[in-house]
C-alpha cells in the first residue's frame, strides 16, 4: 500500500517545505513589524498616529494572508506525510521534531495574541523584549532543521549546548545592537 502512496508523499513533503518557509518568513517579518510598531509610540504626533495605523493594517494583513494560512497548510501537509508514512512516528527524531513543532505552534499563537493586543493599543512588551522574542523563532527553526537533517535525537548534551550557544550568541547580538542604536540616538 505504501508503494502506491509513495509518490503522493513527496508532494506533501514539497508542500510542507514551501509553506514552512512561508510561515517562518511571516513570523520573522511580523516580529519586525511589532518592534517598529512599538517604537512608533515614541514618535511625535501626527507621525505616531499615522505609523501606528499603518502598522496595525500591515500586521493584520500579514497575519491573515501569510502567517495563519502558511501555518495551517504546513501542519496539514505534515499530518498528511505522517499518515502516508506512519513509520516516521516510530522514530525518536520525529518525536523530538514534533515537540519542537508544538513549541513553534505555541509561539505562533502567542504572536497572534500580540497582533490583537497591538491592534487594541496594548503594548505589553518593549521593543528590546520583542527583539529577543523574535530570535526564539530562529532557535526553533535551527533546532527543527538539525533534528530533521540529522535524523536522530542527537547527543542531547551536545545538542543542548549547541542550541544554548546559538541562543546566547543571538541574545548578545541583540544587546549589542540595542547599545549601537542607543549611541546613534535612535
Amino acid at each position: 500500500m505504501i508503494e502506491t502512496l509513495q509518490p503522493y508523499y513527496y508532494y506533501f513533503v514539497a508542500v510542507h517545505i514551501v509553506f514552512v518557509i512561508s510561515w517562518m518568513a511571516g513570523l520573522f517579518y511580523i516580529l519586525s513589524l511589532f518592534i517598529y510598531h512599538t517604537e512608533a509610540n515614541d514618535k511625535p504626533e501626527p507621525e505616531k498616529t499615522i505609523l501606528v495605523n499603518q502598522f496595525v493594517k500591515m500586521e493584520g494583513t500579514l497575519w491573515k494572508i501569510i502567517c495563519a494560512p502558511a501555518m495551517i497548510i504546513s501542519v496539514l501537509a505534515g499530518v498528511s506525510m505522517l499518515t502516508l508514512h506512519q513509520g516516521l512516528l516510530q522514530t525518536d527524531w520525529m518525536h523530538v521534531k514534533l515537540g519542537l513543532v508544538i513549541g513553534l505552534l505555541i509561539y505562533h499563537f502567542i504572536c497572534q495574541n500580540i497582533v490583537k493586543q497591538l491592534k487594541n493599543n496594548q503594548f505589553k512588551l518593549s521593543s528590546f523584549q520583542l527583539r529577543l522574542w523574535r530570535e526564539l523563532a530562529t532557535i526553533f527553526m535551527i533546532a527543527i532543521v538539525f533534528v530533521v537533517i540529522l535524523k536522530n535525537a542527537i547527543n542531547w548534551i551536545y545538542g543542548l549546548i549547541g542550541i544554548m550557544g546559538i541562543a546566547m550568541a543571538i541574545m548578545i547580538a541583540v544587546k549589542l545592537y540595542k547599545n549601537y542604536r542607543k549611541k546613534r540616538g535612535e
Side-chain angles (χ1 to χ4, degrees), residues 59-122:
E59 290 158 357
T61 302
L62 176 62
W63 197 260
K64 290 177 203 165
I65 294 176
I66 296 175
C67 290
M71 179 274 295
I72 291 167
I73 294 169
S74 296
V75 169
L76 291 175
V79 169
S80 298
M81 290 163 45
L82 291 173
T83 302
L84 292 173
H85 194 328
Q86 293 179 6
L88 290 173
L89 290 171
Q90 307 306 317
T91 62
D92 289 339
W93 69 268
M94 183 55 73
H95 295 159
V96 173
K97 178 192 176 189
L98 292 174
L100 291 166
V101 169
I102 289 169
L104 189 58
L105 287 166
I106 292 167
Y107 179 92
H108 173 92
F109 289 111
I110 291 171
C111 288
Q112 180 174 311
N113 193 40
I114 294 171
V115 169
K116 291 175 186 174
Q117 289 171 356
L118 293 178
K119 183 178 181 182
N120 294 320
N121 209 28
Q122 297 173 351

Side-chain angles (χ1 to χ4, degrees), residues 24-40:
M24 293 306 301
L27 288 175
F28 292 143
Y29 187 48
I30 196 89
L31 263 296
S32 293
L33 291 178
F34 292 166
I35 291 163
Y36 300 138
H37 186 161
T38 300
E39 291 174 349

Side-chain angles (χ1 to χ4, degrees), residues 9 23 29 36 66 68 83 90 118-119 131 135 143 148 156 158 167 170 172 183-184:
Y9 171 80
W23 182 23
Y29 187 48
Y36 300 138
I66 296 175
T83 302
Q90 307 306 317
L118 293 178
K119 183 178 181 182
R131 279 183 170 77
E135 302 315 323
V148 170
W156 279 103
Y158 294 127
I170 289 170
I172 290 168
K183 286 179 185 175
R184 287 186 41 204

